[in-house]
Amino acid sequence: MTRYLLGRFGQALAVLALTFTAAFLLLQVLPGDAIMIKFMAPEMALTPEQIADIRAAYGADLPLWERYLSTVGQFVTGNFGYSIQAGVPVSQLLATNLPSTLLLASLGFVAALILTIILAATSNMTGMGWLRAGLQSLPSLFISVPVFWLGIMLIQLFSFQLGLVSVISPGPVEKLVLPVMTLAIPISAPLAQILMRNIDQVLAQPFVAVARAKGASRNWVLWRHVARNAILPTLTIAGVLFGELLTGAVVTEAVFGLSGLGGLTYQAVGNHDTAVLQAIVVISALAFVVINLIVDLLFPLLDPRLGIKVGATT
Amino acid sequence: MSTTPLLEVEDLAISYRTGDRDQRVVHGVSFKVMPGEVVALVGESGSGKTTTAQAVLGLLAGNGKVEGGAIRLNGTDIAHWSQKRLDGIRGAVVSLIPQDPGSSLNPVRTIGAQLAEVLQIHKRGDRKTIQARVIELLERVGLTPAEMRARQYPHELSGGMRQRVLIAIAVALNPALIVADEPTSALDVTVQRRILDLIDELRRENGTAVLLVTHDLGVAADRADRLVVLQGGRIQEQGAVEDVLAAPSSAYTRRLLSDAPSLGKPRPVRVLADNQDFAIDVEGLTHDFPLTGGAAKTFRALDGVSFKVRRGSTHAIVGESGSGKTTAVRSVVGFLKPTAGRILVDGVDLTTLKGEALRRFRKHIQLVYQNPYGSLDPRQTIARIVEEPLLNFESIPAADRARKVRDMLNRVGLSESFLERHPRALSGGQRQRVAIARALVLDPRVLVLDEAVSALDVTVQAQILSLLDELQKTLGLTYLFVSHDLAVVRQISDTVSVMHKGRQVDGGPIETVFGRPDSAYTRELIDAIPGRSMPAIAALASQTDPHARLSP
């Protein structure tokens, strides 16, 4: 067990280190940098010498490996550097923007899980064939809907047609309803597809027939035998899909005009604000790695076969 | 015994819906089970025996439908009851012992929880009462220490132990009828015997009737009061076991009886003693597998196994799961490098060969696998499957290859019309013929048959065994025949090695090992062969005359 844990932690750290390095290299090879964009603008009227001084002050004139090492050192100590464009520490930008995005993403993730379970459960518990067929074809519809279009359609329907959600100065909860839906629907689609297929596979297992032969009803079997077995593979995909959620959050924030990591990323890309981008990439990777680590650690709890004991009967 | 039948199946007709048409698989089946009686439904695959049993439990597959007839339980027709109504009697009045203990328990729940479940569903007491009953039941089926077993998960138990759990579930509420659907087909023969004994014991204690579904006439003969023989969804005959076995009225039953390996005569003894030409000579074969969780820990799967196989004869390796027979075979065909020992095939030491030389040597020793469904590529045609080995060795013109493939198919009894078909269009027996043709197309000298007939119905099994016998005579092949089934082994082999936990506990000519086994284990194996209550078997057993002219 300890080996399993250590292995998983090691993998997580390796993924983080590789992401950090890849992001750093990619951001460095981009032509131009934030200093050029900000200080070479004609209205600043700075001489080349002055710009060179500024570059030296930021450490931008150092060789690549030295900059890499110093950035690594900074990140390890929790210092994400300085945004050249905004003129404030990156950590300060993150502190204002991260919580709202994190809230949106987590709510979207939870909503996606709930939606998935509702879809799978109702399609399996209904006795009506047409409803079952309808619910089972929903995921393919959801999966093919682009996030930005979905967002606009939801605003159209709920805000303008039905007048259920106010667009002008909504309350803190009201403000999140449509973005969370926009985010959750496309994520829930592949999850629901996988969960439904797994449920069908588990239902065909002999142990389900044994449970029925004990006198268990269909719903008893579904919740007590099928659910846990079918959720296992779905969980893995849920972890992987979390990456999609981060991209989705950026687009959703733009569509709904929410402030957050999305807006920050957009600006930072425009201004080549490498320090900000580096921090965003690392934070996204960290979130992704943590979610998948949680999934990996949940697995042995859900599936006793993974809690390997040495010398167990095979 | 009362005169009202516990179960009365009358003119039962069942269809499965495939696509948009109904296919009838059970045609007007009628039989009765009296209280406390054991009735065996015997038949080969496709006979409708399992479908009939599932209908009794109201658990037909989703596309199955009872089209006509009645299933009367204590006089009440339950054939058209709703699932909800059936839930009330399943587990309590009628219960199930399933076929495959490996997948019949939920892998993510403890066995205690799964046993308690049947009591919870039928609301038999509070948590404490149920827990006490679970422990009592586990002890009753011989799973001790019960408290510890209750907390274990299915993967921590052996196949036999899992089947004991499933038996405990089936008897928990003391039902009037147990449907046992091939309850021991997936188990080793010695385990099979103990499990069948346990079912027997429990049903006698409680006066429970058993509907025993089996393909094994031997098992049915040993355990049932009455036999119902099914073929193609129709009853061929039924009656008291002794009557059916002594004087079968239908031609089909007679064929089943003559093909059942446990009833068949052993092959005539061939005098091989003067033949000192050995095709396979294995000496001191030892294999250690590394264990995870420590570099120095190993598991000894094979421990100093030695045997010799005379050219043109058949040597059998017999053993139960975990005996090391698979490891032995994989070493002999050169897939595994043994830790120690020597394997001479045609005088060449396999253990010294590697890389290209080993690959080329495989031409001389070919393998036929157990599962005829998994060993053929479903996307290739039969012609392509049989041709493929030829492409791996020296190049042969396409026309010659095609002729060789045709000849080989004819040889195994398949016409040229099979050439362009795909495996899915073939029956199990036809597939195994293709697998044999594929192995023989390279003109090997040694054929390794790894449980090659185990997955087949007895009548098909008998056909494949006689095909193998004929091929051996005409082509002078040497067979290494691996099996868990002693009855089959006795039919086909000249010499035998009995394996147990990696060691060879008995070895030599077949009639010596069967007539005067050296080890207690071999005796136990022989005693566990089902069908010993059959008259023919009893007669055979008494005439085991030690005319052993072979020297080991």
Side-chain angles (χ1 to χ4, degrees), chain A residues 3 202 205-218 220-221 223-229 232 301-314, chain B residues 57 59 83 86-88 90-92 94-96 98 100 103-109 113-115 117-118 120-122 153 155-158 162 166 169 292-293 297:
Chain A
R3 265 177 81 123
V202 177
Q205 292 284 317
F207 68 77
V208 169
V210 169
R212 295 303 310 274
K214 290 175 183 171
S217 68
R218 196 179 154 80
W220 175 294
V221 169
W223 290 105
R224 289 174 199 240
H225 289 283
V226 178
R228 201 154 132 200
N229 281 288
L232 289 168
L301 296 181
L302 288 171
D303 191 342
R305 285 168 294 186
L306 293 174
I308 305 141
K309 284 189 215 151
V310 178
T313 8
T314 48
Chain B
L57 285 159
L59 285 177
Q83 287 296 324
L86 286 166
D87 284 342
R90 279 196 288 248
V94 192
S95 67
L96 168 74
D100 177 12
S103 54
S104 292
L105 287 168
N106 187 339
V108 301
R109 300 184 66 195
Q114 296 188 57
L115 180 48
E117 189 179 25
V118 67
Q120 286 159 2
I121 291 169
H122 296 280
Y153 287 94
H155 70 275
E156 296 171 282
L157 305 181
S158 69
R162 283 180 220 173
L166 288 157
I169 292 172
T292 49
K297 284 189 193 160

Side-chain angles (χ1 to χ4, degrees), chain B residues 466-486:
Chain B
S466 78
L467 169 71
L468 287 172
D469 201 37
E470 182 208 313
L471 288 170
Q472 183 167 51
K473 279 184 197 128
T474 48
L475 302 175
L477 293 166
T478 306
Y479 290 153
L480 187 59
F481 190 90
V482 182
S483 181
H484 68 281
D485 189 337
L486 272 102

Side-chain angles (χ1 to χ4, degrees), chain A residues 101 103-109 111-112 147 150 154 177-188 244-253 256:
Chain A
T101 304
L103 182 67
L104 178 64
S106 338
L107 285 177
F109 197 54
V147 175
L150 181 67
L154 287 176
V177 174
L178 292 182
V180 166
M181 276 171 72
T182 310
L183 209 49
I185 286 175
I187 301 284
S188 71
E244 203 129 306
L245 197 67
L246 293 171
T247 350
V250 171
V251 179
T252 312
E253 282 175 352
F256 289 93

